[in-house]
Amino acid sequence: MVLGALDATPGARGTEQAVNVLFAFDGDLNPYVDVVRAGLAAAGRPTDAGTDKFWSDALFRHDVVHVQWPETLFGWRAPTADEMARLRRRLREIQPRARIVLTRHNAVSHLATAKNAAIFRELYELVESACDAMIHMGETSRAQCAGQPHLRGKRHVTIPLPVFDELYAPYLNVSRAEARRRLGLPTHRKIVLAFGNFRNDGEKKLVESTWRALGDPQAFLVAARWHSPRTYGFSPRHPLCLLRSMRQAVRARWRHMRLEPKRDFTDEEVALYFAAADAVFIQRLDDLNSGNLPMAFLFRKAVAGPAGGNIGEWLRKTDNPVFDPQDPDSCRLALQRALELAAAGKGEENHAYAMAHWSTKQVGAAHARLYDELVAAQ
């Protein structure tokens, strides 16, 4: 069942008492939950939030408990065995009293390493098994879950990522020229933006190899959150690191690349980066979703991204180019095509699509309908 493209009328409870919803999530730099809650508020559905409430008696005042990333229940870290036991008890306490909803942001945690991958798999499967409904951001995610024994009998719905239209509304009229001036970027080049934390060397190699292969002397790459703030500093214990860092910085400048340190951005700064770009390159290797896609559409940009996951699904549906991260020529052709589409006005088409299907109000209303239907069926 796809809820994201339906009309904005929340569903089954009508004039009855509104469903009480708890988002088991603490506010952080990812605006997704705040945006969904704003959409619910616009639908007349104020919500509560906080992991502290998940673990307290305040939880039982709610009809629906909505979990996002399961690891956030433990402060964005791997839980211990004792904490997993505590979570099992908590979920058993919730199940007779409230409906549990899980949004499938990732197939596996981004925090998983060789050392803790098993505990994260156990955590995800535990919450998935306990939920009454799972929200997917695309049909690809639903297909990945089909046939999994622990997900039999669950309700699966598709609600796309919101386009963040209301959050960034104050900055949508900033011109490309003004954004470039404020960020100190070239005014007459074709700027490609790769935004978001670079999580591993594979993502960096993807961007570097694609950029070398593109070889467009008029193009300029901005890679935000590329390296640690200390990467280009001097360490008495590792003096050769400074030489390597300087060499990389010189090489990047020569190749028309601006590699920026990891830091927190204000909403206005995020908007400036997207406003300044001609095209957006999504540098993920095997991620399921990316907020860079709706952000690029909101700011009227053409996009090139990986063919896998929900990312590739939505790019194909909207005729934006996709690539195989393991095929350098595929990556080059996709980025080249994105720049061509940008020049032809594809960004306007992307914006229109996003506003027609992914607006904050639509996404909020789709959540409200799901909650109503789950509680009505209880």
Side-chain angles (χ1 to χ4, degrees):
M1 180 178 184
V2 180
L3 294 181
L6 302 181
D7 68 63
T9 305
R13 286 170 71 92
T15 59
E16 299 177 23
Q17 182 178 357
V19 172
N20 293 316
V21 179
L22 172 68
F23 280 82
F25 183 81
D26 297 320
D28 70 0
L29 295 176
N30 189 321
Y32 170 80
V33 171
D34 288 341
V35 169
V36 172
R37 293 184 67 202
L40 282 160
R45 304 299 177 84
T47 56
D48 203 357
T51 56
D52 58 332
K53 297 180 178 67
F54 178 86
W55 296 108
S56 75
D57 288 343
L59 173 74
F60 301 113
R61 297 197 297 266
H62 298 88
D63 305 298
V64 174
V65 178
H66 194 153
V67 179
Q68 302 296 320
W69 298 264
E71 57 267 42
T72 63
L73 298 174
F74 302 99
W76 289 104
R77 60 172 175 79
T80 65
D82 286 346
E83 287 172 330
M84 284 292 294
R86 183 187 179 204
L87 178 59
R88 285 190 189 90
R89 291 193 299 270
R90 193 58 166 170
L91 292 171
R92 285 197 296 268
E93 291 171 344
I94 296 170
Q95 285 173 318
R97 308 182 191 189
R99 302 302 88 194
I100 300 173
V101 177
L102 173 66
T103 295
R104 192 170 187 256
H105 293 275
N106 313 321
V108 296
S109 173
H110 291 318
L111 304 178
T113 64
K115 184 177 180 180
N116 61 25
I119 192 69
F120 274 120
R121 280 196 299 271
E122 183 182 356
L123 171 63
Y124 270 53
E125 186 164 326
L126 173 61
V127 179
E128 289 170 353
S129 298
C131 76
D132 298 283
M134 183 179 290
I135 293 175
H136 303 270
M137 296 173 178
E139 296 304 308
T140 300
S141 176
R142 292 181 66 166
Q144 290 176 354
C145 294
Q148 294 191 31
H150 71 290
L151 295 178
R152 289 174 185 159
K154 310 297 181 187
R155 182 169 181 180
H156 294 268
V157 300
T158 300
I159 304 178
L161 270 165
V163 75
F164 308 116
D165 49 313
E166 296 186 9
L167 177 63
Y168 291 101
Y171 316 113
L172 292 178
N173 291 326
V174 176
S175 69
R176 184 175 303 172
E178 171 68 7
R180 292 183 179 190
R181 183 190 66 79
R182 292 177 62 181
L183 294 173
L185 295 172
T187 56
H188 300 297
R189 291 188 182 275
K190 296 178 285 185
I191 290 183
V192 175
L193 175 66
F195 197 80
N197 280 332
F198 281 75
R199 300 192 182 110
N200 52 59
D201 288 340
E203 292 182 349
K204 293 180 179 180
K205 289 176 182 177
L206 168 65
V207 169
E208 288 182 313
S209 63
T210 302
W211 196 249
R212 284 197 303 270
L214 181 68
D216 186 339
Q218 295 304 312
F220 188 93
L221 174 75
V222 179
R225 294 176 175 159
W226 175 275
H227 61 82
S228 165
R230 293 180 291 179
T231 297
Y232 295 152
F234 175 73
S235 169
R237 295 179 58 187
H238 305 287
L240 291 180
C241 289
L242 177 61
L243 296 177
R244 286 196 294 269
S245 297
M246 291 176 63
R247 183 174 62 184
Q248 183 179 17
V250 170
R251 185 169 64 240
R253 186 179 181 86
W254 179 68
R255 291 175 176 165
H256 302 146
M257 303 168 68
R258 188 160 112 176
L259 310 180
E260 299 192 346
K262 295 179 179 179
R263 65 179 180 87
D264 297 342
F265 291 100
T266 66
D267 292 339
E268 184 176 14
E269 286 175 319
V270 172
L272 288 175
Y273 277 89
F274 279 90
D278 291 284
V280 172
F281 184 84
I282 299 177
Q283 74 271 18
R284 304 310 183 197
L285 301 176
D286 55 6
D287 283 20
L288 189 59
N289 302 292
S290 173
N292 285 346
L293 196 161
M295 282 294 295
F297 278 34
L298 176 64
F299 283 90
R300 297 175 165 86
K301 309 303 171 185
V303 186
N310 297 328
I311 303 170
E313 173 190 331
W314 289 113
L315 290 176
R316 284 189 294 271
K317 283 183 178 179
T318 54
D319 296 321
N320 285 267
V322 298
F323 57 77
D324 176 356
Q326 306 304 320
D327 181 348
D329 200 48
S330 166
C331 301
R332 175 188 65 81
L333 289 171
L335 180 53
Q336 181 177 310
R337 180 59 179 157
L339 287 168
E340 292 170 352
L341 288 171
K346 179 65 175 176
E348 293 294 336
E349 184 180 323
N350 285 344
H351 178 82
Y353 183 93
M355 295 307 297
H357 297 89
W358 304 340
S359 74
T360 298
K361 288 182 179 179
Q362 286 173 304
V363 169
H367 279 77
R369 284 194 299 276
L370 173 61
Y371 300 151
D372 286 348
E373 291 164 7
L374 286 172
V375 173
Q378 196 168 349

